[in-house]
Amino acid sequence: DEAIEETKGLKVPPVSGREDLRDIPLVTLDGADAKDFDDAVFAEKTNDGFKIIVAIADVSHYVQSGSALDREAYNRGNSTYFPDRVIPMLPEALSNDLCSLRPRENRACVAMHMEIGNNGKLKNYRVSRALMRSEARLIYEQVQAAKDGNPDDMTAPLMEKVIEPLYEAYDCLWRARERRHALELELPETQVLVDDNNNMTGIKQRSRLDAHKPIAE
């Protein structure tokens, strides 16, 4: 109760003192059954490589050290995911709202800015506390269909400025990974199926799409 009480009155901070990334078309890319959206990505081609931004929700802005929120999160250790629900580490006011990078809503974030060369090697990086505004919530199957030549109303306008540059940056990083003979594990992931009454109806193997790879890399 004390932790929940601390969430009352919390709100997205102003841009003052933060880097303004709201004009950067960062997107989240997750599975269709994802329960939260806590990281977003962006890439663009440069003359000699790529600029990449990975942004995560700035949880520490809201969860102050030693607070009831901090103590409760420490006790829980992590969010626990079940096939039909999640028991969050943080109250829903944070996990499903202020710390969820929902599309077209201002959100506090911590952003990692990276520059890589055409050889896939890191040239420069910096970290900033920022304010972002996600361009879209994309799902793997949707992006895969777009790459296969069947974009929908959401992905069609994002192909040139968002999706294609992400794939190009991924390809650059992947080729560098192959050159250094990095370990690559293709491990199957299972999905538990439940019906509307939360009864288990089966287990199946999740399909592995090329659209998963840019995020993983």
Side-chain angles (χ1 to χ4, degrees):
D1 292 340
E2 189 181 358
I4 291 174
E5 184 67 26
E6 283 188 353
T7 67
K8 295 179 180 178
L10 292 179
K11 56 185 179 181
V12 177
V15 71
S16 176
R18 290 177 174 267
E19 184 173 5
D20 193 348
L21 300 180
R22 289 175 293 178
D23 290 335
I24 302 292
L26 287 145
V27 295
T28 61
L29 180 53
D30 299 278
D33 56 353
K35 301 294 193 299
D36 47 36
F37 319 109
D38 50 14
D39 53 78
V41 293
F42 168 78
E44 68 177 349
K45 191 82 175 72
T46 62
N47 291 333
D48 56 353
F50 293 88
K51 175 184 176 182
I52 301 171
I53 301 175
V54 177
I56 63 171
D58 187 1
V59 181
S60 63
H61 172 77
Y62 305 102
V63 182
Q64 299 296 313
S65 179
S67 64
L69 282 167
D70 185 35
R71 294 194 302 271
E72 180 64 19
Y74 183 88
N75 288 335
R76 293 180 179 222
N78 53 262
S79 297
T80 304
Y81 293 87
F82 294 96
D84 63 329
R85 73 195 70 186
V86 58
I87 299 177
M89 183 174 68
L90 299 170
E92 289 193 8
L94 294 177
S95 59
N96 284 354
D97 188 1
L98 294 172
C99 296
S100 183
L101 305 180
R102 301 194 300 214
R104 305 194 183 281
E105 294 185 25
N106 290 348
R107 287 293 180 264
C109 69
V110 177
M112 173 67 80
H113 306 254
M114 294 164 280
E115 296 176 20
I116 63 169
N118 286 317
N119 58 3
K121 291 186 178 181
L122 183 67
K123 297 168 54 181
N124 197 12
Y125 74 91
R126 65 182 179 89
V127 182
S128 71
R129 291 188 181 273
L131 197 70
M132 62 162 286
R133 191 175 176 88
S134 171
E135 183 79 7
R137 183 226 161 174
L138 303 176
I139 63 175
Y140 294 122
E141 292 80 3
Q142 180 184 32
V143 171
Q144 186 66 54
K147 281 292 292 178
D148 291 341
N150 298 297
D152 59 18
D153 291 343
M154 182 181 294
T155 54
L158 298 176
M159 287 301 295
E160 183 176 350
K161 68 175 182 178
V162 176
I163 296 174
E164 291 294 354
L166 281 174
Y167 270 84
E168 291 172 7
Y170 154 71
D171 185 63
C172 179
L173 290 167
W174 179 256
R175 283 185 276 110
R177 171 190 284 269
E178 287 190 314
R179 284 194 296 270
R180 67 178 186 269
H181 304 289
L183 181 64
E184 171 65 14
L185 299 175
E186 285 282 351
L187 301 176
E189 182 181 353
T190 55
Q191 179 181 8
V192 177
L193 306 177
V194 293
D195 61 20
D196 293 338
N197 296 317
N198 293 331
N199 295 313
M200 177 180 164
T201 59
I203 299 177
K204 71 174 185 178
Q205 186 169 317
R206 287 186 187 271
S207 57
R208 175 72 168 170
L209 304 173
D210 284 344
H212 288 88
K213 296 178 180 179
I215 296 299
E217 192 64 32

